Amino acid sequence: MVRRELRQKYKGSALGVVWYLINPLVLMGAYYFMFGVVFKVAGPAQPEQYPLFLLMGLVVWIFFSQSLLSAAPSLLDHGALIRKARFPRETIPASVVTVQLVTFVVLLALLAPVTIAIRGSLDVALLLLPVLLVCLFAFVLGLALAVSALHAYFRDVAPILSAALLPWFFM
């Protein structure tokens, strides 16, 4: 299911996964301009490499939000498959989150050398990255399973989730 989703997602695209890097870059530019230039955060409140800080946070948030938004209608979207074959229903939202994880890991692989080059060193904290990624995936998968099950019974879950993610991003 993951392979089919990935093939379908990038079918006919010249740049493929690079398009998923453009969105965080544009958002990073807009947020840096507003909070780093116009409303300059002064003093120690602003991290050293503020644009890099924004970009990494945006990449993680996009993985989180896109996973939940894609997982919500996934059981309904694959209703025909559910009616035809007997298999664990959890695999459908899990495959949706895994597709987002593949994109997320590719983006991290593209950003890791840039981060190391900008920071000038390889941090010891990077050794914890695989553990953090597993924890993040488990957290997102758990929420995605809950959201997809709720959306199967209550069709208002996806629009409510979409509306709730925007203020959650700013909090």
Side-chain angles (χ1 to χ4, degrees), residues 1 20 22 30 64 73 82 88 101 125 131 134 136-137 151 153 165 171:
M1 288 181 79
Y20 287 90
I22 292 171
F64 176 77
I82 290 172
L101 179 72
V131 174
V134 168
L136 177 65
F137 178 73
H151 186 71
Y153 290 105
L165 282 173
M171 285 189 274

Side-chain angles (χ1 to χ4, degrees), residues 155-171:
R155 302 297 195 270
D156 292 333
V157 170
I160 291 170
L161 179 66
S162 180
L165 282 173
L166 184 61
W168 194 358
F169 171 74
F170 287 103
M171 285 189 274

Side-chain angles (χ1 to χ4, degrees), residues 108-170:
L108 285 181
L110 291 173
L111 292 175
V114 173
T115 303
I116 293 168
I118 289 174
R119 296 198 66 175
S121 68
L122 193 62
D123 247 358
V124 177
L126 284 176
L127 295 175
L128 290 176
L129 188 61
V131 174
L132 292 173
L133 289 177
V134 168
C135 291
L136 177 65
F137 178 73
F139 176 67
V140 171
L141 180 59
L143 287 177
L145 290 169
V147 164
S148 63
L150 283 171
H151 186 71
Y153 290 105
F154 310 106
R155 302 297 195 270
D156 292 333
V157 170
I160 291 170
L161 179 66
S162 180
L165 282 173
L166 184 61
W168 194 358
F169 171 74
F170 287 103

